[in-house]
Amino acid sequence: SGFCSRTPAVAGSRTTWTWAGWVKRSKIGNQRFSLFCAGNSGSDETEFFFQQATGVDSLVFYYYPGSYTGFCETLMLFRDTSAWYHIVLALDTTQGTAANRCKIYVNGVQQSTNFTSNFGPSATPHINSTAPHQLGRSPTEALPYDGYLADVHFIDGQALDATAFTEVSATTGQLIPLAYTGTYGTNGFQLKFADNSAATAATLGADTSGNGNNWTPNNLSVTAGA
């Protein structure tokens, strides 16, 4: 399966960051479909994924360093394979109120979530550490994401809401991309996937934030196949 990978040379803020991107599912099945993760194995990881178990197509973010230290799941379900969703995951474990530490926005709206386990005060999930990071696959290869990703942002050191990345068109009333004008932080990046001249970190996986935090495409082709 195709995915992108990067291992940061230095750690950024592990308590506070934002992931945002446009997502279109291609497949629904009885497994996890991982959007973004970091960690060394399935028993030592942090992962953001579509859950699929007995018809539950929710979005889940969890921190699992050998046990569930944080688990946040949307009440909203995602079963439309024809639609693009704009998704924002904002983490700030320094917040005093447990429910404010993990927020998920879909199409500009903050979602109601269940917390099977709240993220502890100043918890440090694997994302933004020097562990391997993957976009479109979990640390266990058997759990790939099946679908499309576009205009993916990662903001190191800030927990932002959807207004930093989207706006409502005055003409159509639809949610559309908004050029991000803020800072990215040490490990921040923007992936447009716009240079399809080759499937390399400097082209298809190029970071356009100005940080040069490129991602390496794996099992992706710009000339043949899906």
Side-chain angles (χ1 to χ4, degrees):
S1 62
F3 66 101
C4 292
S5 60
R6 179 177 181 266
T7 301
V10 297
S13 174
R14 294 177 61 184
T15 64
T16 310
W17 48 259
T18 306
W19 185 96
W22 292 88
V23 177
K24 183 177 183 290
R25 304 189 71 183
S26 294
K27 181 181 179 180
I28 296 175
N30 192 27
Q31 67 176 63
R32 297 205 309 264
F33 294 90
S34 183
L35 290 171
F36 186 49
C37 75
N40 300 297
S41 69
S43 59
D44 182 24
E45 64 160 341
T46 300
E47 189 174 352
F48 187 39
F49 60 93
F50 287 108
Q51 175 75 289
Q52 172 66 22
T54 61
V56 180
D57 299 280
S58 56
L59 263 175
V60 174
F61 176 66
Y62 78 31
Y63 173 32
Y64 190 89
S67 62
Y68 286 115
T69 304
F71 190 102
C72 175
E73 180 178 14
T74 63
L75 300 185
M76 179 180 180
L77 304 181
F78 300 83
R79 295 171 175 164
D80 189 348
T81 55
S82 67
W84 282 93
Y85 300 98
H86 186 263
I87 295 172
V88 176
L89 169 61
L91 186 79
D92 184 356
T93 63
T94 68
Q95 291 291 317
T97 302
N100 291 334
R101 294 172 191 156
C102 178
K103 297 179 181 179
I104 298 174
Y105 302 83
V106 179
N107 294 339
V109 179
Q110 184 178 347
Q111 296 301 301
S112 298
T113 52
N114 285 323
F115 289 88
T116 305
S117 175
N118 278 313
F119 291 82
S122 297
T124 54
H126 301 76
I127 288 171
N128 235 356
S129 71
T130 56
H133 287 54
Q134 298 182 72
L135 187 67
R137 195 183 75 165
S138 72
T140 49
E141 188 175 353
L143 299 171
Y145 168 63
D146 197 324
Y148 298 88
L149 291 171
D151 198 26
V152 175
H153 294 257
F154 183 76
I155 313 301
D156 181 353
Q158 300 176 74
L160 304 176
D161 62 28
T163 60
F165 311 98
T166 60
E167 62 181 346
V168 175
S169 169
T171 303
T172 67
Q174 293 181 314
L175 193 72
I176 59 174
L178 175 69
Y180 176 67
T181 58
T183 57
Y184 282 88
T186 301
N187 286 323
F189 59 84
Q190 179 184 17
L191 301 180
K192 293 183 177 180
F193 308 110
D195 186 347
N196 64 355
S197 60
T200 67
T203 54
L204 189 64
D207 169 24
T208 57
S209 73
N211 278 353
N213 293 326
N214 298 343
W215 285 65
T216 301
N218 300 267
N219 303 325
L220 292 169
S221 172
V222 296
T223 59

